[in-house]
Amino acid sequence: MLNAIPTVGPNGFLSGFVGTYRFFTNAKDILQEGYEKYPNRIFKVALVDRWAIIAPGRMMVEDLMKATDDQLSMIEAAAETLQVEYTLSKEVVLHPYHVAIVRTPMTRNIATRFAEVRDEMVSAFADLIPAKDDWVKVPAYKMSFQIVGRTANRFFVGLPLCRNSDWLDLNTNFAVEVFISAMIINLFPSFLKPIAGRFLTRMPSSMKRATKHLAPIIEERLAREDEYGTKDWPGKPNDLISWLLDEAKAEQREVSDLITRILAIEVAAIHTTSTAFCNALYQLAAHPELVVPLREEVEAIVEESGWTKEGVGKMRKLDSFLKETLRFSGGGGIVNNRKVLTDFTFSDGTTVPAGTTIGVAAYMHHHDEAQYDNPYTFDAFRFYNMRNREGESIKHQTISPGLDYITFGNGRHACPGRFFAVYEIKGLIAHILMSYDVKLETEGVIPPYEWHGPSMDPSSTGEVLFRKRR
């Protein structure tokens, strides 16, 4: 079966080692070559102990979306990509009940808790970037993680923990470390992964730090349940810890298990949201012509609806700006990863054997002329204009996955945390528009993106200049 799938890159003796090195150092060019050479046809890339199967084009994306969980597993693929056995815990994959919590109670409470989230945005910016009359250079990448970390944790664990410096340092650094450690562990053949995982993971030390902060809170909540004889005791906080306790089965209510799941959710929420926010900040600073129309929209809606989830939801130009940012500079090399559990046949007749992993070349997909007009042009109001067409008012939103827009995946496995992430980023950008002027040191020139294997990230060294709004 694999022999029938064309190969991009090395394809001979020791090809896995050579291919892995090339893919780690030059993934963008390899994926682009395959995408152009084999449009609408899967191709493969040799890695150290397996093949990476890449599925380009809308038809392939639709085939993956329609597959059953018995055929293709998102959870198994995520476990392999993030090497959760070493970077987090097997329990996160074996019993992933926390995913349903992100999908339902967390999403349902965005409106209820938005005032607190907004309060933390204001406080975080005031602490980290005091509004001054003169321009101040700010390290964009580091600042993005700090502000997103505080904002997300106000929603997850509330005050005062969301402002605790050790807790924030743990979460922001742990999120990055998980992705980096997983990337390096995946460079090793299977028989060496346990050794590499043992030396590379920081999970034991991270758990120790997290336990110091979270164990007393969790134990107190369990004591309250015992005291009142019910999960719904008076004054119960409406936060992630409570949502986990509500859903966890008896054997999952161990303090260590709950802490592991909180860390897992923090990793997913902080890393991707921070890089997306950083990309949006770079684009805003690079396009001063967007400030007036975006600022006018935010001002009008805040005056009408206040700083609410409903109000942020009405900011259609801002939504288009964010979606175009994610299309143009977000995502990465491979998304929608699926582990093949039983031999899987695409609609073109190509069969992929069980045990392999399939993914979609997102950056190439989002820059394909078959998907978008002028795909290499950043058009901030691309999706705003699409939504103004008759009958398409509720389409083309940032939170809405599609066959042409795959940042958050597709179908029933679309990212469950995308709703909070989008409202969070839109709220942060709206606050910047209302409070600051921003620019880049070299006008219009965004610092170069950084490719780490198949992942594309915003510059980790770039700076954005802030001053008090004039």
Side-chain angles (χ1 to χ4, degrees), residues 105 107-117 155 238 243 309:
T107 299
R108 192 168 53 223
N109 278 288
I110 295 172
T112 307
R113 301 279 311 283
F114 195 81
E116 295 172 66
V117 173
F155 189 54
N238 182 24
W243 305 330
K309 175 180 179 284

Side-chain angles (χ1 to χ4, degrees), residues 105-135:
M106 191 173 109
T107 299
R108 192 168 53 223
N109 278 288
I110 295 172
T112 307
R113 301 279 311 283
F114 195 81
E116 295 172 66
V117 173
R118 162 67 183 163
D119 177 69
E120 199 58 37
M121 291 177 184
V122 174
S123 176
F125 272 103
D127 291 343
L128 295 167
I129 315 175
K132 297 183 178 180
D133 292 329
D134 295 327
W135 291 104

Side-chain angles (χ1 to χ4, degrees), residues 136-209:
V136 176
K137 288 183 181 180
V138 175
Y141 190 81
K142 179 181 178 181
M143 178 275 297
S144 295
F145 274 82
Q146 290 173 324
I147 288 183
V148 167
R150 276 185 58 167
T151 305
N153 273 285
R154 180 67 178 268
F155 189 54
F156 293 159
V157 299
L159 288 169
L161 186 55
C162 71
R163 296 180 187 176
N164 181 285
S165 58
D166 184 64
W167 172 249
L168 291 171
D169 179 73
L170 164 63
N171 278 285
T172 53
N173 287 315
F174 183 64
V176 175
E177 286 164 4
V178 165
F179 283 89
I180 293 175
S181 297
M183 192 184 309
I184 296 173
I185 293 169
N186 277 315
L187 294 176
F188 290 84
S190 297
F191 72 95
L192 288 178
K193 280 185 170 64
I195 299 172
R198 195 175 305 121
F199 281 102
L200 288 169
T201 183
R202 296 195 180 182
M203 186 60 179
S205 60
S206 296
M207 274 294 292
K208 186 175 181 180
R209 287 174 71 187

Side-chain angles (χ1 to χ4, degrees), residues 67-80:
T68 66
D69 291 342
D70 293 332
Q71 294 173 306
L72 305 178
S73 171
M74 181 197 74
I75 291 174
E76 290 290 333
E80 185 176 89

Side-chain angles (χ1 to χ4, degrees), residues 295-312:
R295 189 174 275 167
E296 287 178 348
E297 177 184 70
V298 172
E299 286 177 331
I301 289 171
V302 168
E303 184 176 350
E304 173 191 324
S305 302
W307 287 100
T308 61
K309 175 180 179 284
E310 178 191 11
V312 172

